[in-house]
Amino acid sequence: MRKFTGEELSQDEVLTLLKAALMSPTSKRSNCWQFIVVDDKETLEKLSYCKESGAAFVKDAALAIVVTADPLASDVWIEDASIASIMIQLQAEDLGLGSCWVQVRERFTANGLSANEYIHELLDIPLQLQVLSLIAVGHKGMERKPFDESHLQWEKVHINKYGGK
Ligand SMILES: Cc1cc2nc3c(=O)[nH]c(=O)nc-3n(C[C@H](O)[C@H](O)[C@H](O)COP(=O)(O)O)c2cc1C
């Protein structure tokens, strides 16, 4: 969901989203992630410039949860932070809210600065943390049709061996 109404989230909704993040599984229970919750409108607008395209809608979200992790705390921090990101999205959907993953790792601002560095500076994030994603959340601003199952790529599923049917 990239279109949001202006309605704010309740404190309960925000807590539920964060619980989902904090309950997400991590390799060896390293819990190498940290989450920065942004609801300040001005900061949300600045976050929307973290990359050249694909983040403009962040300024209209009620909330952005910036998902960071410490690569020194886990060699699989990307997996751990990705799982936390999707858990937030699943929880948002369960609450009837809309969300969108905004990729930060390996992405750049319009001026060529890394999105990671831009967000570090904006939010005062310690150097050892890397920003993987930010998850924009808000009340859905449009209807979306459910996934059309006729588009499922069953040919990408292999039984017992590659190519097996
Ligand atoms: C790893 C990852 C990175 C993504 N990054 C962005 C992004 O930066 N901006 C954006 O608008 N959507 C982003 N998305 C959302 C995808 O574009 C979206 O899930 C995909 O197009 C499927 O869309 P659908 O749910 O409408 O079918 C990302 C999704 C994933 C899983």
Side-chain angles (χ1 to χ4, degrees), residues 11 26 41 44 82 85 92 99 105:
Q11 200 177 10
T26 56
K41 296 283 167 225
L44 284 168
S82 298
S85 301
S99 73
R105 195 180 70 84

Side-chain angles (χ1 to χ4, degrees), residues 2 51 54 57 100-103 144:
R2 299 184 183 88
K51 53 188 212 165
F57 55 89
C100 191
W101 180 313
V102 175
Q103 182 68 21
R144 286 209 57 193

Side-chain angles (χ1 to χ4, degrees), residues 13-14 47 123-124:
E13 286 169 332
V14 178
L47 278 175
L123 306 180
D124 264 344

Side-chain angles (χ1 to χ4, degrees), residues 41-70:
K41 296 283 167 225
E42 215 172 287
T43 312
L44 284 168
E45 182 171 0
K46 287 181 180 158
L47 278 175
S48 77
Y49 303 128
C50 74
K51 53 188 212 165
E52 192 164 14
S53 63
F57 55 89
V58 174
K59 69 175 189 327
D60 302 319
L63 193 80
I65 301 180
V66 178
V67 180
T68 76
D70 180 353

Side-chain angles (χ1 to χ4, degrees), residues 62-88:
L63 193 80
I65 301 180
V66 178
V67 180
T68 76
D70 180 353
L72 295 178
S74 174
D75 57 347
V76 291
W77 67 275
I78 296 176
E79 288 84 343
D80 289 349
S82 298
I83 291 167
S85 301
I86 202 73
M87 292 292 270
I88 295 166

